[in-house]
Amino acid sequence: MSTSSPPAPDPPAPDPAATDLPAPDHPAPSEEQATRERPDLRLLVPAVTGWLTAVWLVSQAPATAVLVATVALAATVGLILLHRQRTRPQELTPSSTVRVTAIGVGVVVVGMALAAALQVQGLRSGPVMDLASSGAAVKVRLKIDSDPSVRSGSGTRRPPYVVLKATIEEVTGRGTTTQVRTPVLVIGSTNWQRLRFGQHVEATGKLELVEAGSDVAAMLSSRSTPRVLDEPSWWLRAAEQVRAGLRKSVADESEAVRGLVPALVMGDESTLPPELVEDFKTTGLTHLSAVSGTNLTLLLAFVLPLARLLGVRARGLTVVGLAIVVVFVILARPQPSVLRAAAMGLVALAAMTGGGRRAVRSLSVAVVTLLLLDTSLARSAGFALSVLATAGIVLLGPAWRDALARWMPDRLAEAISCPLAAQIACTPVVAWLSGQVSLVAVAANLLAGPAVGPATILGFAAAGIALLSTNLAQLIGWLAGWPARWIILIAQQGADLPGATNAWPATVIGIGVLTVLCLALTFSLHRILARPIAMLLALTILAVVVLRPVGPIGWPPDNWLMVACDVGQGDGLALSAGNGSAVVVDTGPDPTAMDRCLQDLGIKNIPVLLLSHFHADHAGGLAGVLRGRTIGEIEVTPYFSPPAEYKRVTDLATQHRIPIRTVTLGERRTAGPITWTTLWPAKVPALPESGKSSATPTDEGSPENNASIAMMVETSGLRILLTGDLEPESQRAVLASGADLRADVLKVPHHGSAQQDPTFIAATHARLAVISAGQHNDYGHPAPRTLDLLTHQGMKIARTDTTGSLSLSTPDNHLSLTTHPTTP
């Protein structure tokens, strides 16, 4: 007996009113296909929760982390039992999805808490932290874990020093020798700069505690010369040969190219000119000059398509990509920053071989894995920037690319969307670190982007070929130099734009507001990108802000005579010589800040640049003054110390072919309407030994400060006494010389420090006291006792740390003060 099924109903007729149906030969994507295209965000919540957990626990005691792991484990087990009880086989509901995500969060929190407990306990085990707590002197055997980095003294008295990371394998302190494996941060003399990654050395020094949450157990301060015990392993020596070959291949190029190509290829920043580093910071191109996922992604983007052309498919591409990652890590050195870059490169590999859905999942796994291996990364700014940039590209980039592709070519849409997404994702962190927001970063990355790939690939080729043929490597290096020159040009020109960066308060409230703005932009920007007219309007507004065709409104005031630039903790003064010219006295510590101040003033010609002395807070910004301006000559104090800063100044002057002359006591000079007389120094102390500071960190009366140039400036009937960083000893000597110190304006010595001679201050009879100091500086400048002294003398006080840049003018023969805040 058979049965028949009822006839199937006819399919519904198409709705003639529907206008968005696809053509018959382009069927709409199925729901399954659409799901495959959407990013897989299931691991994102556990990854973010694990990150926040690590941020908290890396500074806590191991017992706290174990307690958190126990509580999280109990909660996770409860969630698993609840999930099994309420979920039927093959059933997937919103509530079950939430439970699965919560279980994932619990598992990650348990793992992260245990990892944090193990890492903190590992740092605390052994005698190193105990020795550091008492500042013990020790003898150690170290393994060098990073390349030495030479730093200039950030204060006003510290000589150059070397920073590197190392692992203590044996420590002798308080008469006891112990075998350990404890990571430390080494602050050493310049004798440490010759060490190589992977070497073992012996040294003596003093152990000191570091901030909780660091990836090292202590800091080792050493003034001794380390004794090298062995050479790096063979594979590290081979990597050194490749790196040296790359440097040789571009040895005949300009200084900027010599520095940039190795930085692009292997993150070797040792020869990058300081002014180029500043330009890269201003234009948001810093990631190109350091080991980052960008370097590796570009290499993979070149090698994987080539492998496809050679017939490599599927898993073979993954194997090729992994091999490239391994080679990259070896050449760039297996340091934490390199391993982080490798992880981000693997995320890019996942995107290239498996699509955006796989890339988001891979990013989440990479974050969790890296933090489990090293929970201290949770507080690393470099780690945060790498993750945020990659997340922005993966999560925001595709939608913004599609929006732009509605009215422009796909390739151009991709080129715009990637740097835009990365920049917006990283903006709050960058502002927190630098106190600035770059408005040219996206454009700079867009313009420089096409040249990064060729420069990187050609650089890698030159490095490898250098092992076989020096001449051929130089040819390849010469070719790599051309795209590098384009990147340098973009960085320099972008940094010179008046509104390239804008100050932003690096406070909790300030960064919170900026984060909210970035989130609002994230959710609304795709609508703007999809509309050409809206994009044109947004670009027009941005161009006006960046180019500032009318300059800052009301700044500088008409007929200004002197401006004390807000350069942070330092001095940077401009004296108007008319028609876009100025005599500049000191340059502050930051090239960008000084350059921006002079740009706002419209200064293109500087007949004389005076450096009162060679401390970094007065001469560190020299590169910013030189940028795009004509300098007639540089006048300096006859006391050439600190030696490293003096050498940096003379090197810059030589590169720009600017003559340097030392001042003479009592000389009188004129530049346009400005006349000045040198009042000090009259005597110069003996120079310190080469490479050594002439003052201890607690010595207020340092020779460098006491050898500052002091000068009486006269312009348009106004007398201004400029005093550098004179300490009481020299203040009394100037007073005893019989010089006429009467002035309308006093530039208070040494940023208003407590070390002032009251008789010297009183002898000026100044109406206005100008103090140039940095907001919330570590020195406590200006000191309350100095402010009281100035007030008791009847002087009005003007401070750059509270009001920003200061301008003086004399309308109607009355002294007028105008301020220009540099932060919102």
Side-chain angles (χ1 to χ4, degrees):
M1 187 174 179
S2 64
T3 60
S4 61
S5 301
D10 294 334
D15 181 1
T19 60
D20 57 350
L21 292 176
D25 57 338
H26 296 288
S30 65
E31 183 176 344
E32 181 181 355
Q33 290 174 322
T35 301
R36 284 200 302 267
E37 291 299 320
R38 288 197 297 266
D40 184 356
L41 305 179
R42 289 175 296 178
L43 290 179
L44 198 58
V45 174
V48 172
T49 307
W51 192 349
L52 295 175
T53 302
V55 167
W56 172 43
L57 292 179
V58 290
S59 60
Q60 303 299 316
T64 302
V66 171
L67 177 61
V68 170
T70 303
V71 173
L73 180 61
T76 303
V77 171
L79 284 171
I80 292 174
L81 295 176
L82 179 65
H83 181 69
R84 286 183 176 179
Q85 184 179 28
R86 294 192 178 183
T87 305
R88 297 178 180 176
Q90 307 299 324
E91 181 184 36
L92 186 64
T93 64
S95 60
S96 65
T97 301
V98 170
R99 288 196 295 272
V100 169
T101 301
I103 291 171
V105 168
V107 171
V108 171
V109 169
V110 171
M112 208 65 67
L114 292 176
L118 289 173
Q119 179 157 332
V120 174
Q121 182 60 34
L123 293 176
R124 296 187 177 188
S125 62
V128 172
M129 288 193 73
D130 181 49
L131 291 168
S133 64
S134 60
V138 295
K139 179 181 179 181
V140 294
R141 185 179 73 232
L142 300 168
K143 180 185 177 184
I144 305 302
D145 294 332
S146 70
D147 290 317
S149 175
V150 180
R151 308 278 178 85
S152 297
S154 57
T156 59
R157 302 176 182 88
R158 188 170 189 175
Y161 57 98
V162 172
V163 177
L164 57 84
K165 287 189 176 180
T167 299
I168 296 181
E169 297 182 340
E170 182 181 278
V171 57
T172 301
R174 298 174 187 159
T176 302
T177 299
T178 309
Q179 304 294 320
V180 295
R181 282 194 64 84
T182 307
V184 293
L185 179 70
V186 178
I187 307 295
S189 65
T190 51
N191 295 322
W192 287 74
Q193 70 183 92
R194 62 187 176 87
L195 299 183
R196 298 152 64 192
F197 183 91
Q199 282 183 323
H200 288 83
V201 302
E202 277 187 356
T204 57
K206 179 181 177 182
L207 286 173
E208 300 175 25
L209 287 176
V210 295
E211 181 182 356
S214 175
D215 59 344
V216 296
M219 180 177 72
L220 176 69
S221 299
S222 175
R223 297 182 180 180
S224 66
T225 299
R227 185 169 72 90
V228 177
L229 301 178
D230 61 13
E231 294 300 315
S233 56
W234 67 268
W235 58 275
L236 285 175
R237 294 198 302 272
E240 284 184 355
Q241 286 185 314
V242 176
R243 292 163 67 94
L246 176 59
R247 287 192 291 267
K248 289 180 181 178
S249 71
V250 292
D252 295 334
E253 303 298 320
S254 66
E255 182 189 20
V257 172
R258 289 199 308 270
L260 181 58
V261 173
L264 281 172
V265 176
M266 299 171 188
D268 183 0
E269 303 174 88
S270 59
T271 56
L272 271 176
E275 55 268 30
L276 185 60
V277 173
E278 291 296 328
D279 289 343
F280 270 47
K281 288 180 181 178
T282 301
T283 53
L285 297 174
T286 303
H287 60 94
L288 299 181
S289 61
V291 177
S292 69
T294 303
N295 309 62
L296 188 53
T297 301
L298 289 168
L299 187 60
L300 291 171
F302 175 80
V303 172
L304 292 183
L306 181 61
R308 286 194 186 98
L309 289 176
L310 297 176
V312 180
R313 293 292 184 273
R315 294 184 183 276
L317 288 175
T318 302
V319 172
V320 171
L322 289 174
I324 294 298
V325 170
V326 171
V327 172
F328 175 82
V329 169
I330 291 174
L331 292 179
R333 311 290 177 79
Q335 304 173 64
S337 60
V338 178
L339 297 176
R340 182 182 68 232
M344 295 304 106
L346 289 173
V347 172
L349 174 62
M352 294 176 188
T353 59
R357 178 178 173 83
R358 182 175 172 184
V360 176
R361 186 169 64 242
S362 299
L363 175 63
S364 302
V365 171
V367 169
V368 172
T369 302
L370 286 171
L371 290 175
L372 287 174
L373 293 174
D374 184 1
T375 51
S376 65
L377 284 175
R379 295 190 175 191
S380 166
F383 178 75
L385 290 173
S386 290
V387 173
L388 289 173
T390 307
I393 292 172
V394 170
L395 294 174
L396 305 177
W400 292 356
R401 175 201 60 207
D402 294 343
L404 288 168
R406 294 182 183 181
W407 56 278
M408 67 170 56
D410 290 346
R411 295 269 180 156
L412 182 58
E414 183 87 36
I416 295 174
S417 62
C418 284
L420 180 61
Q423 184 64 28
I424 289 180
C426 293
T427 291
V429 176
V430 173
W432 178 265
L433 296 173
S434 66
Q436 293 181 333
V437 174
S438 176
L439 298 181
V440 299
V442 174
N445 277 276
L446 175 62
L447 293 172
V452 175
T456 303
I457 301 306
L458 288 170
F460 268 108
I465 293 173
L467 298 176
L468 305 174
S469 170
T470 301
N471 292 334
L472 183 56
Q474 288 179 339
L475 175 61
I476 304 299
W478 176 78
L479 292 174
W482 286 103
R485 286 184 180 88
W486 173 252
I487 298 171
I488 293 167
L489 178 66
I490 295 301
Q492 291 173 339
Q493 297 300 316
D496 285 341
L497 294 175
T501 59
N502 287 267
W504 192 273
T507 61
V508 173
I509 296 177
I511 300 304
V513 170
L514 184 60
T515 302
V516 171
L517 292 176
C518 289
L519 287 173
L521 201 58
T522 297
F523 289 110
S524 61
L525 192 58
H526 68 281
R527 296 185 181 134
I528 298 175
L529 298 176
R531 295 169 173 80
I533 295 178
M535 272 288 291
L536 181 61
L537 180 60
L539 289 174
T540 301
I541 295 173
L542 182 62
V544 170
V545 173
V546 171
L547 297 177
R548 293 181 181 174
V550 297
I553 298 176
W555 182 264
D558 294 336
N559 301 319
W560 64 274
L561 300 178
M562 186 190 86
V563 168
C565 298
D566 183 6
V567 293
Q569 181 60 19
D571 277 3
L573 309 171
L575 299 161
S576 176
N579 298 323
S581 296
V583 172
V584 173
V585 182
D586 289 332
T587 66
D590 179 13
T592 301
M594 194 65 194
D595 179 35
R596 182 130 307 116
C597 180
L598 295 178
Q599 283 185 12
D600 289 344
L601 298 176
I603 303 303
K604 294 296 182 183
N605 177 57
I606 300 174
V608 181
L609 167 61
L610 293 103
L611 298 178
S612 66
H613 60 297
F614 290 104
H615 278 155
D617 57 338
H618 291 253
L622 177 58
V625 178
L626 299 178
R627 188 177 294 149
R629 297 180 182 88
T630 302
I631 315 294
E633 64 178 4
I634 299 177
E635 286 194 351
V636 298
T637 174
Y639 189 66
F640 306 147
S641 179
E645 192 66 19
Y646 169 69
K647 183 179 184 301
R648 189 188 67 82
V649 168
T650 54
D651 286 348
L652 280 172
T654 301
Q655 292 169 18
H656 291 81
R657 298 180 180 178
I658 303 171
I660 294 182
R661 66 178 294 271
T662 56
V663 298
T664 303
L665 180 67
E667 69 177 355
R668 187 175 178 86
R669 302 205 61 195
T670 299
I674 309 168
T675 300
W676 68 94
T677 304
T678 302
L679 306 179
W680 193 259
K683 57 182 180 179
V684 180
L687 286 170
E689 295 179 34
S690 179
K692 297 182 180 180
S693 175
S694 60
T696 64
T698 58
D699 181 9
E700 275 292 327
S702 74
E704 290 89 354
N705 286 348
N706 276 320
S708 294
I709 297 174
M711 50 195 285
M712 181 65 74
V713 177
E714 298 178 63
T715 175
S716 300
L718 193 69
R719 286 171 61 90
I720 306 171
L721 178 58
L722 303 182
T723 57
D725 277 359
L726 291 183
E727 303 288 359
E729 178 185 355
S730 289
Q731 293 175 21
R732 289 189 290 269
V734 173
L735 191 62
S737 71
D740 183 3
L741 300 182
R742 290 174 298 172
D744 301 294
V745 179
L746 166 67
K747 202 290 296 183
V748 180
H750 200 182
H751 323 292
S753 78
Q755 305 301 313
Q756 307 291 339
D757 181 77
T759 307
F760 176 85
I761 299 296
T764 67
H765 301 285
R767 292 179 282 161
L768 176 67
V770 173
I771 300 175
S772 182
Q775 190 176 29
H776 308 306
N777 65 83
D778 296 334
Y779 301 95
H781 295 164
R785 62 184 290 185
T786 297
L787 296 176
D788 289 342
L789 171 63
L790 298 171
T791 301
H792 290 157
Q793 293 295 330
M795 299 183 192
K796 180 179 179 180
I797 300 172
R799 301 164 47 180
T800 60
D801 62 324
T802 58
T803 61
S805 296
L806 309 169
S807 170
L808 303 181
S809 57
T810 54
D812 301 323
N813 294 321
H814 288 85
L815 180 60
S816 175
L817 172 68
T818 305
T819 62
H820 176 57
T822 52
T823 56

